[in-house]
Amino acid sequence: MKAYELFEEIIKGGETPAWKTCDVLKAGDPNKELNKVAVTMFATVETVKKAKEWGADMLIVHEPTYYDHYEEIDELPVVVAKRKLIEESGITIYRYHDYMHHREVDQIPEGEVYYLGLNGTVEHTPYSASYMFTSFEPITALELANKMEKQLGIKRVRIAGTRNKKSTKIALCFGTPSGVFELLSSEDVEIVLTGEACEWKLAEYARDADALGINKSLIVMGHIGSERDGMRLLAKRLSEKHTEFETQYIECGEVYTYTDENL
């Protein structure tokens, strides 16, 4: 199988975006024959090096490689150096973002819910890439945050607002989607899970709501922590379906380091 053939297979079933899609070839030869396929969240410098060391022919990523959604960026020194590294690696890179989100079941929340081991129902909301999850088992924000740190490996999950009230109505706003404040302020939502947050708007709303006796929690997972398990699930499915090549998920790691960790 060639790289472009696998990519065309992956995006099947996804609704074609009405706008310019970022899901295109980012580097390398689309006709490369596949023996090893790597999947990751970000094509960081270290991820590219790990993929090359493993012998990957193709790398499938979710987010931009060059710090801009469409990667239309000036020739900055970091961009030039990173592009040279990728070109020398010989790896073919495709981005899988728009088609991944625009499916009947968005594969990012699907992966997060799967690896968290949550039981419940997922429904669309009016907002792009935001979903409503109704848990079959009531859970507190603190319990959910602890579960994320243990099962998803997120180093620092932050909670604003209510910590210890059982909830079942949870909004899934992974990454940086639309409608986060609208869902947080809705009477039909008790907990919002998100990747990134505007603290003065979202976190302060949750804090004041809790102080007024309203069950409202904002859980901030970090962008990578809130989406990478969708890519992890993709790698699992590819390895199960395609035995003619090897598939490996490569962890890109979180972007922040912390004062109490030894590097």
Side-chain angles (χ1 to χ4, degrees), residues 214-230:
I214 300 170
N215 184 9
K216 194 71 65 174
S217 309
L218 177 74
I219 298 181
V220 183
M221 306 166 66
H223 192 103
I224 292 169
S226 76
E227 291 201 281
R228 64 182 165 195
D229 288 288

Side-chain angles (χ1 to χ4, degrees), residues 36-37 45 48 64 72-73 89 118-119 150 157-158 169-170 190 192 246 250 256:
K36 292 185 175 183
V37 175
V45 169
V48 172
E72 298 167 349
I73 196 165
S89 75
L118 297 177
N119 294 312
K150 181 179 179 181
V157 176
R158 291 172 289 170
K169 298 180 288 186
I170 303 169
E190 295 163 329
V192 170
E246 293 181 62
I250 297 179
Y256 296 109

Side-chain angles (χ1 to χ4, degrees), residues 26-29 32 43-59 65-66 81-93:
K26 294 297 180 179
D29 180 6
K32 177 167 281 193
T44 67
V45 169
E46 290 304 315
T47 300
V48 172
K49 288 180 178 178
K50 287 178 183 177
K52 181 181 179 181
E53 183 179 346
W54 180 58
D57 303 297
M58 180 180 183
L59 181 63
T65 299
Y66 299 113
K82 189 174 183 181
R83 185 177 291 119
K84 183 173 184 290
L85 173 75
I86 290 172
E87 289 173 352
E88 289 176 349
S89 75
I91 298 172
T92 296
I93 299 178

Side-chain angles (χ1 to χ4, degrees), residues 5-251:
E5 292 174 326
L6 178 60
F7 184 69
E8 288 179 356
E9 176 188 298
I10 289 171
I11 65 174
K12 277 183 182 177
E15 178 184 341
T16 303
W19 55 89
K20 174 184 175 182
T21 181
C22 60
D23 291 6
V24 297
L25 177 74
K26 294 297 180 179
D29 180 6
N31 291 297
K32 177 167 281 193
E33 291 289 343
L34 300 178
N35 295 299
K36 292 185 175 183
V37 175
V39 178
T40 191
M41 176 73 175
F42 275 92
T44 67
V45 169
E46 290 304 315
T47 300
V48 172
K49 288 180 178 178
K50 287 178 183 177
K52 181 181 179 181
E53 183 179 346
W54 180 58
D57 303 297
M58 180 180 183
L59 181 63
I60 303 169
V61 304
H62 186 61
E63 296 293 16
T65 299
Y66 299 113
Y67 329 111
D68 174 79
H69 186 62
Y70 292 110
E71 305 185 63
E72 298 167 349
I73 196 165
D74 293 335
E75 294 295 294
L76 302 172
V78 172
V79 173
V80 172
K82 189 174 183 181
R83 185 177 291 119
K84 183 173 184 290
L85 173 75
I86 290 172
E87 289 173 352
E88 289 176 349
S89 75
I91 298 172
T92 296
I93 299 178
Y94 273 95
R95 185 173 176 197
Y96 181 37
H97 179 275
D98 293 348
Y99 284 91
M100 190 171 202
H101 283 296
H102 290 83
R103 304 179 73 91
E104 184 177 348
V105 179
D106 186 327
Q107 292 178 310
I108 290 296
E110 185 183 13
E112 296 296 326
V113 169
Y114 175 81
Y115 284 107
L116 267 172
L118 297 177
N119 294 312
T121 60
V122 179
E123 299 176 76
H124 289 271
T125 72
Y127 310 104
S128 176
S130 292
Y131 300 86
M132 191 66 205
F133 179 77
T134 303
S135 177
F136 294 154
E137 301 173 1
I139 190 169
T140 69
L142 183 58
E143 289 169 340
L144 190 49
N146 283 329
K147 200 174 182 70
M148 290 172 179
E149 291 183 349
K150 181 179 179 181
Q151 294 183 210
L152 303 185
I154 303 174
K155 294 177 182 177
R156 298 288 188 275
V157 176
R158 291 172 289 170
I159 305 170
T162 308
R163 288 167 59 88
N164 292 306
K165 289 182 182 178
K166 294 286 186 179
S167 304
T168 59
K169 298 180 288 186
I170 303 169
L172 308 178
C173 304
F174 299 130
T176 315
S178 63
V180 183
F181 183 77
E182 288 80 2
L183 290 166
L184 181 67
S185 58
S186 169
E187 292 183 1
D188 295 326
V189 173
E190 295 163 329
I191 299 175
V192 170
L193 312 183
T194 193
E196 301 178 60
C198 175
E199 292 183 5
W200 65 262
K201 184 172 186 176
L202 301 170
E204 294 297 350
Y205 182 90
R207 176 158 66 170
D208 282 346
D210 179 56
L212 293 167
I214 300 170
N215 184 9
K216 194 71 65 174
S217 309
L218 177 74
I219 298 181
V220 183
M221 306 166 66
H223 192 103
I224 292 169
S226 76
E227 291 201 281
R228 64 182 165 195
D229 288 288
M231 299 304 287
R232 187 176 159 200
L233 184 59
L234 171 65
K236 178 179 183 295
R237 288 174 170 168
L238 287 178
S239 67
E240 291 169 348
K241 182 176 182 179
H242 290 283
T243 56
E244 70 273 25
F245 56 76
E246 293 181 62
T247 303
Q248 182 180 111
Y249 170 74
I250 297 179
E251 176 55 55

